[in-house]
Amino acid sequence: MDVVDGEMKIEKEYDQGFRVEHEGDDHQGRLPESSKIKKKKQKMATRCDQRYTTPPPPPLDLPIKFKKRIRAFGGSDIALVIQKCLFKTDVSSGHNRLSIPLNQIRQTFLTPQETEFLNSGNNEKKCSEMEVMLIEPSLRRDTISLRKWEMKKASGSATLMYVLVGKWNSVAWRNALREDETVQLWSFRINSKLCLALVKRRAKSNGYFIEF
């Protein structure tokens, strides 16, 4: 279709939804750079490192087999602490800890006395810790240490988090935990004593989670 008086002359139009090329374009049928950048951004948006800008799907209830295990120990007051993708540092043997950032915790799981106790530490090398029972994804029972850390950043700011330490490397190895996997940490009480349960989750195509 020709247009007079110096207006643009449309040369091509792609049925696949590519943009219309105009006089002077030299793409010669190639995908425009803007489209390539858009596709790259869409791929990046699906990566687990975007988990803070896109909230995770609503969590499911605690799996039945974990509920039965907790009831068998006389546990109650079950509550979801956090749902997160595992970082590389969460499964690195050199770090030996699972991070639980305070700004991602779903609800309070500590009593005021427990909070005060964990706050009494000075830093990640000299800090108070609680020994708690942990039910692993395999349903194995073990004990693990809970601490509160203040992680310093290069910028000078700090991030507060709870961490599971001590036997964490063994937990990660026994349960084949991998970077970018989604896990949930649940709390419960046995005779008022804090206990934890770790559940692995797998994201389905519809965005909901199933038990791994």
Side-chain angles (χ1 to χ4, degrees):
M1 179 175 64
D2 293 335
V3 181
V4 295
D5 297 331
E7 294 182 2
M8 290 184 182
K9 181 172 69 176
I10 298 176
E11 295 179 346
K12 298 179 182 178
E13 181 172 352
Y14 290 92
D15 293 334
Q16 294 86 352
F18 295 162
R19 71 174 188 180
V20 176
E21 292 190 341
H22 297 85
E23 188 174 40
D25 281 339
D26 59 355
H27 294 289
Q28 298 179 352
R30 293 177 299 175
L31 187 67
E33 288 299 321
S34 60
S35 296
K36 293 179 181 178
I37 294 173
K38 184 177 180 181
K39 284 182 174 292
K40 185 176 180 180
K41 287 182 176 179
Q42 289 174 341
K43 289 181 179 180
M44 292 176 63
T46 62
R47 290 181 54 83
C48 192
D49 57 9
Q50 299 295 319
R51 50 191 168 270
Y52 296 120
T53 58
T54 304
L60 295 180
D61 196 6
L62 184 65
I64 295 296
K65 66 180 183 180
F66 281 87
K67 288 182 178 180
K68 290 181 178 180
R69 186 74 163 154
I70 290 172
R71 284 198 294 265
F73 293 131
S76 60
D77 300 327
I78 300 171
L80 176 63
V81 177
I82 190 173
Q83 174 176 290
K84 61 170 286 183
C85 281
L86 292 175
F87 288 108
K88 184 177 181 179
T89 51
D90 288 323
V91 294
S92 165
S93 60
H95 290 82
N96 188 28
R97 56 107 172 116
L98 173 69
S99 64
I100 310 169
L102 266 64
N103 60 2
Q104 294 182 56
I105 291 176
R106 298 298 184 99
Q107 54 191 306
T108 302
F109 68 103
L110 298 173
T111 65
Q113 294 77 16
E114 290 167 345
T115 300
E116 182 179 0
F117 175 75
L118 291 176
N119 284 341
S120 65
N122 296 320
N123 53 54
E124 62 187 73
K125 293 184 179 179
K126 296 179 180 180
C127 56
S128 301
E129 66 179 42
M130 295 172 53
E131 289 294 317
V132 300
M133 187 181 87
L134 175 69
I135 298 179
E136 302 177 13
S138 64
L139 298 183
R140 175 188 172 124
R141 179 182 66 172
D142 207 337
T143 57
I144 200 160
S145 299
L146 174 66
R147 297 177 183 172
K148 187 176 183 180
W149 280 3
E150 182 181 62
M151 302 293 289
K152 301 289 186 180
K153 297 182 179 180
S155 62
S157 61
T159 300
L160 291 174
M161 64 177 65
Y162 294 112
V163 290
L164 296 183
V165 295
K167 299 180 182 178
W168 175 250
N169 274 346
S170 297
V171 174
W173 180 80
R174 280 195 298 263
N175 295 276
L177 299 181
R178 298 288 182 267
E179 181 182 359
D180 289 344
E181 281 188 329
T182 297
V183 297
Q184 292 177 340
L185 187 68
W186 296 76
S187 69
F188 61 98
R189 299 271 167 175
I190 299 178
N191 296 327
S192 76
K193 184 176 175 59
L194 176 67
C195 303
L196 299 171
L198 184 68
V199 181
K200 295 171 68 172
R201 297 291 195 180
R202 174 186 290 165
K204 297 178 66 177
S205 59
N206 62 7
Y208 288 95
F209 284 95
I210 59 174
E211 182 184 350
F212 188 80

